[in-house]
Amino acid sequence: MPNILVLNAGSSSYKLALYTIDKASIAHPQKPIWNCDYTWKEGAPTGHLSTFYNGKTLSNTTAPKHEPKSTLKTLLKQMVSCGAINDLTSIDIVGHRVVHGASAFTTPTLITPDVKAKIKSLSPLAPLHNPANLAGIEIIESLIPIAKQAAVFDTAFHSTLPEAASTYPGPYKWKEIGIKRYGFHGISHHYISLRCAELLKRDVNELNIISCHLGNGCSLAAISKGKSIDTTMGFTPLDGMMMGSRPGALDPGILTYLEQQKFASADSLFTTLNFNSGLQGISGTTSDMRDILKQRKEGHPRAALAFDMFCHSLRRNIGAMAGILNPIDALVFTAGIGENSTAIRAAGSLALIPMGAHLDVEKNQNNKPDTLISSQDSTIPILIIKTEEDWLIACACQSLFSG
Ligand code: ADP
């Protein structure tokens, strides 16, 4: 059985998960043998590390300052020293989450020098993500030279978007130079579609699903017969619904106004749109939904406004995805907010009340993963599903490894 290591090398976190799997079925997730989550804030003197062995917490502590190679070396050392694996040469294949594959990568791909060059060339499309993903690939290459490596792309699942959904209504020239809706969180939406079918005991090829991935970044997908046919994120992960620190869709006239009136430059807009908008921008204090909920309870008006705007944006975008699907067979909530916030699921589900969808208040309150939370008389099943992006990447690696 191959030993598969999954690395999600982000711009503020490294997540690793080790699996040993023989015949993988995406819809039946297995727990990693070992996994860890290292997070850092730019410029901070330390990071934070949690490690787990067979689901049990091994450590939850501050960790040395982030420096990509030494961080990964430390994490791999911990994986070996706790006995999860004999040594690094026992790792057969390392799967990497790569955010932007554009039109070049529509399936999981073994990494070659050409693939790395292409991922690098796509960096301008995902400047916060692709360089960090590529650095992860190159570091692993130097630390575990014997292992095969594979890239699984967040954009790939949306490569099935029809032209009418993926083309932006600017000049036709934009289409010719690759400006189109690529969509993101595809690994999560793909997993959700298969797991949802499994939980409903239906064939995914018979289902129309609205998948709501609500984490720090938020995106919705309209999935028909196992294929993404529309999604809220676009050319970049800035489009769509309101998020932790990104605004989601804006009137583009705001940007030209700010620039023309010299309120902002292209560089400052990049920072504003990526880090100082969304929940962060409106509350002025936090991009974290848990803090927003707490501050709202304490009576902070800007946190209350941020919450109301988030709910409005979610409802509006569920409505948009609903308009693309006929009929709607399931509404799914996933990721940090989707899996944990009763209030936000309740607000989002309001979008489908005209179609006869109703939550079961008690089930919704339980926050239990992989359960149905709609009432018995609901015409549309509503579910919470825990996303398992690492598992999907591990399954993709397993099938590439066994050829
Ligand atoms: P990422 O996109 O970085 O993977 P996550 O899926 O972990 O993010 O989601 C992070 C978001 O989930 C944060 O806004 C966090 O506040 C929110 N979240 C986590 N737990 C809860 C909870 N119990 N209630 C509400 N929001 C939560």
Side-chain angles (χ1 to χ4, degrees):
M1 289 200 288
N3 289 314
I4 300 168
L5 183 65
V6 176
L7 170 60
N8 183 347
S11 54
S12 61
S13 71
Y14 277 179
K15 294 179 183 168
L16 278 166
L18 175 72
Y19 296 88
T20 299
I21 44 179
D22 185 8
K23 275 209 167 68
S25 155
I26 297 174
H28 297 99
Q30 292 173 22
K31 293 269 161 272
I33 302 167
W34 176 91
N35 61 306
C36 77
D37 194 344
Y38 174 90
T39 53
W40 70 88
K41 283 208 170 90
E42 210 44 60
T46 54
H48 187 90
L49 174 65
S50 312
T51 56
F52 308 87
Y53 187 29
N54 283 325
K56 292 212 172 86
T57 306
L58 283 183
S59 71
N60 187 9
T61 55
T62 52
K65 183 176 163 58
H66 176 65
E67 192 283 311
K69 190 160 183 177
S70 68
T71 300
L72 269 175
K73 235 179 179 169
T74 306
L75 301 179
L76 294 174
K77 224 184 215 171
Q78 298 216 1
M79 178 174 72
V80 174
S81 67
C82 78
I85 196 160
N86 289 341
D87 56 53
L88 294 183
T89 60
S90 316
I91 292 172
D92 296 291
I93 182 161
V94 183
H96 297 265
R97 175 184 180 201
V98 178
V99 165
H100 217 311
S103 304
F105 299 107
T106 56
T107 53
T109 306
L110 281 172
I111 289 170
T112 62
D114 279 355
V115 169
K116 282 196 297 180
K118 188 71 195 164
I119 292 172
K120 187 171 181 192
S121 77
L122 296 173
S123 288
L125 298 182
L128 293 174
H129 299 101
N130 273 32
N133 304 153
L134 188 59
I137 292 170
E138 291 186 327
I139 296 168
I140 291 289
E141 211 168 63
S142 71
L143 297 177
I144 324 178
I146 199 164
K148 288 185 181 182
Q149 298 205 71
V152 182
F153 297 89
D154 246 337
T155 43
F157 184 60
H158 302 297
S159 63
T160 50
L161 249 56
E163 249 188 322
S166 68
T167 308
Y168 280 106
Y172 193 79
K173 173 93 184 153
W174 286 6
K175 184 174 161 65
E176 292 171 339
I177 60 169
I179 295 181
K180 57 180 269 198
R181 182 180 302 283
Y182 290 107
F184 299 86
H185 291 141
I187 298 169
S188 176
H189 291 304
H190 186 187
Y191 171 78
I192 291 302
S193 64
L194 296 171
R195 183 69 179 147
C196 175
E198 175 65 26
L199 292 169
L200 294 177
K201 297 191 181 9
R202 300 271 306 272
D203 183 341
V204 73
N205 295 315
E206 291 173 351
L207 290 178
N208 286 332
I209 301 166
I210 300 176
S211 167
C212 307
H213 179 109
L214 310 177
N216 284 310
C218 300
S219 77
L220 275 56
I223 304 167
S224 181
K225 303 184 174 68
K227 290 193 164 70
S228 174
I229 61 164
D230 205 355
T231 189
T232 57
M233 280 182 174
F235 177 63
T236 73
L238 287 172
D239 201 358
M241 71 164 283
M242 181 177 176
M243 308 178 216
S245 63
R246 289 171 251 166
L250 289 172
D251 176 351
I254 295 171
L255 306 183
T256 50
Y257 170 81
L258 289 170
E259 221 252 324
Q260 279 163 355
Q261 298 302 313
K262 310 227 176 318
F263 286 118
S265 62
D267 280 351
S268 75
L269 280 177
F270 181 87
T271 306
T272 302
L273 297 173
N274 279 289
F275 304 110
N276 298 326
S277 298
L279 299 175
Q280 174 71 47
I282 297 303
S283 71
T285 57
T286 181
S287 61
D288 192 297
M289 184 55 88
R290 282 165 294 202
D291 298 335
I292 294 286
L293 294 170
K294 186 164 168 278
Q295 290 179 12
R296 174 175 171 259
K297 238 186 197 163
E298 292 164 355
H300 293 272
R302 283 174 59 176
L305 175 61
F307 172 85
D308 289 344
M309 288 170 64
F310 188 92
C311 292
H312 179 83
S313 177
L314 174 61
R315 188 171 167 183
R316 188 177 212 229
N317 280 280
I318 291 176
M321 294 299 103
I324 301 300
L325 297 171
N326 184 19
I328 299 160
D329 299 303
L331 171 66
V332 183
F333 293 99
T334 190
I337 300 171
E339 291 165 29
N340 293 297
S341 175
T342 302
I344 285 165
R345 286 191 302 266
S349 300
L350 292 176
L352 300 189
I353 283 188
M355 292 156 199
H358 297 285
L359 277 174
D360 178 309
V361 175
E362 205 181 312
K363 285 182 186 158
N364 186 36
Q365 249 155 17
N366 290 341
N367 283 330
K368 208 167 150 216
D370 294 14
T371 51
L372 205 58
I373 55 167
S374 42
S375 63
Q376 270 185 348
D377 66 347
S378 179
T379 51
I380 300 172
I382 307 173
L383 300 95
I384 303 174
I385 300 182
K386 180 178 183 303
T387 192
E388 296 278 1
E389 291 159 293
D390 292 346
W391 171 246
L392 187 139
I393 295 171
C395 292
C397 286
Q398 196 270 343
S399 95
L400 280 175
F401 185 78
S402 55

